[in-house]
Amino acid sequence: ELKVEQNPLFLSMQEGKNYTIYCNYSTTSDRLYWYRQDPGKSLESLFVLLSNGAVKQEGRLMASLDTKARLSTLHITAAVHDLSATYFCAVDPAGGATNKLIFGTGTLLAVQP
Amino acid sequence: NAGVMQNPRHLVRRRGQEARLRCSPMKGHSHVYWYRQLPEEGLKFMVYLQKENIIDESGMPKERFSAEFPKEGPSILRIQQVVRGDSAAYFCASSPTDRNQPQHFGDGTRLSIL
């Protein structure tokens, strides 16, 4: 059974600092997604990573994928309060006949002024 | 373009009652997924449907839960004889045929069982 683990589970950081969230998964995958969820809200798609070595950036967030290591990272640069949210990675198992996503446990990010 | 529409946003049921959750996918999307999120946990896949077909229901509990996506109308997730453990947020997502596109999520239905 595919397992997706994120760390840390909780991250408190100061504005202006940099940090990385890690997403490890236990079997091969050809698609990995990052989502953001605000409290009581739905999930917002941030990044779609489709191949080994893929790197995507949007504002202060940058995501990368290493399929050989079965690892994705979400890097936060010069954090601001508006980035406070829960971040999920989700994996689409390789070769699957369906598009179901296996979600990580989530990382709750709190950016302090 | 309207996003994924779920209703109701909040639903309260007593134990033993039935709960019906509705989901209309984004325009142009033919794939619908249901996920369940327990408090402070990630989302767990339940079922994947296309029009009139259940493609993957490997995440659905064997009893009391069913889903459909009829030719006309929204997708329905139905929970019969609800129990306290069914309390959760239920999210619907939709996607186009292109698997390189992300799933788009609705705002969810928060189900509370008294």
Side-chain angles (χ1 to χ4, degrees):
Chain A
E1 180 184 331
L2 173 62
K3 291 186 179 177
V4 182
E5 295 184 344
Q6 289 180 235
N7 72 84
L9 297 182
F10 177 72
L11 176 55
S12 178
M13 56 191 299
Q14 287 186 314
E15 281 190 328
K17 298 292 187 183
N18 304 335
Y19 210 83
T20 301
I21 299 171
Y22 298 89
C23 173
N24 292 89
Y25 51 98
S26 62
T27 190
T28 55
S29 172
D30 57 357
R31 286 169 179 81
L32 190 139
Y33 305 84
W34 283 96
Y35 286 88
R36 167 183 171 145
Q37 185 180 36
D38 291 294
K41 302 291 186 181
S42 184
L43 281 77
E44 174 191 355
S45 175
L46 295 175
F47 299 109
V48 180
L49 302 170
L50 300 175
S51 61
N52 187 39
V55 177
K56 291 197 174 178
Q57 183 163 5
E58 181 72 33
R60 300 174 188 274
L61 301 178
M62 183 173 70
S64 66
L65 178 62
D66 182 343
T67 58
K68 293 180 181 178
R70 299 177 184 171
L71 170 69
S72 179
T73 61
L74 181 66
H75 187 73
I76 303 153
T77 301
V80 293
H81 181 68
D82 286 351
L83 290 179
S84 298
T86 299
Y87 292 85
F88 291 99
C89 63
V91 172
D92 183 349
T98 71
N99 301 349
K100 70 180 184 184
L101 296 181
I102 309 300
F103 278 81
T105 46
T107 296
L108 175 59
L109 173 64
V111 181
Q112 311 295 339
Chain B
N1 254 351
V4 178
M5 305 298 293
Q6 287 189 249
N7 68 83
R9 291 292 309 277
H10 301 274
L11 182 60
V12 180
R13 285 286 178 266
R14 297 188 181 280
R15 283 178 292 172
Q17 291 184 322
E18 178 179 288
R20 282 187 179 233
L21 289 62
R22 295 175 183 77
C23 169
S24 296
M26 281 182 71
K27 187 176 180 180
H29 287 191
S30 56
H31 304 251
V32 167
Y33 316 81
W34 286 93
Y35 294 85
R36 176 164 64 178
Q37 184 178 35
L38 296 171
E40 299 183 11
E41 291 188 11
L43 279 72
K44 297 287 192 286
F45 169 81
M46 299 181 75
V47 63
Y48 162 42
L49 310 103
Q50 295 178 20
K51 281 288 186 182
E52 300 184 282
N53 285 306
I54 297 175
I55 308 301
D56 182 345
E57 56 181 348
S58 58
M60 287 278 272
K62 294 287 183 273
E63 297 178 348
R64 303 186 298 108
F65 284 72
S66 62
E68 63 177 6
F69 189 16
K71 186 176 180 181
E72 301 291 338
S75 175
I76 307 286
L77 179 67
R78 181 182 179 202
I79 311 172
Q80 296 178 289
Q81 299 176 332
V82 296
V83 301
R84 288 240 171 93
D86 297 333
S87 296
Y90 291 82
F91 288 95
C92 171
S94 72
S95 70
T97 302
D98 181 0
R99 286 190 65 197
N100 291 335
Q101 296 300 314
Q103 296 177 16
H104 294 265
F105 284 79
D107 287 339
T109 294
R110 272 80 181 166
L111 175 64
S112 298
I113 309 301
L114 301 179

